[in-house]
Amino acid sequence: MAHTFPELIIGGVLVAPFVTYLVTALVVVIVLRPLLHVVGFAKMFSNASVAELSLYVTILSLLVLLF
């Protein structure tokens, strides 16, 4: 069966690229969330949740473009 997307084989299991992106997104959020809290990112913006989401989207889109 032919697939139209590049797959990754981990331990004999085919993993679609979106699974890799999902894991990367979770890692970015888990790592950045405490770091942004320590830096005081929420105090810099009037709507901190939107600013934080924008930062996550920007980082993830750059990773998708680079890889």
Side-chain angles (χ1 to χ4, degrees):
M1 185 165 124
H3 297 287
T4 59
F5 57 85
E7 59 270 345
L8 175 67
I9 299 176
I10 299 175
V13 177
L14 290 176
V15 178
F18 61 84
V19 174
T20 309
Y21 297 148
L22 176 68
V23 171
T24 305
L26 286 174
V27 168
V28 166
V29 170
I30 289 170
V31 169
L32 274 183
R33 198 164 174 93
L35 182 66
L36 293 177
H37 181 69
V38 169
V39 174
F41 188 77
K43 297 176 186 171
M44 294 182 209
F45 297 95
S46 60
N47 197 345
S49 60
V50 172
E52 193 173 322
L53 180 63
S54 300
L55 184 64
Y56 293 148
V57 169
T58 303
I59 290 171
L60 292 173
S61 62
L62 287 173
L63 287 174
V64 167
L65 285 175
L66 292 175
F67 301 105

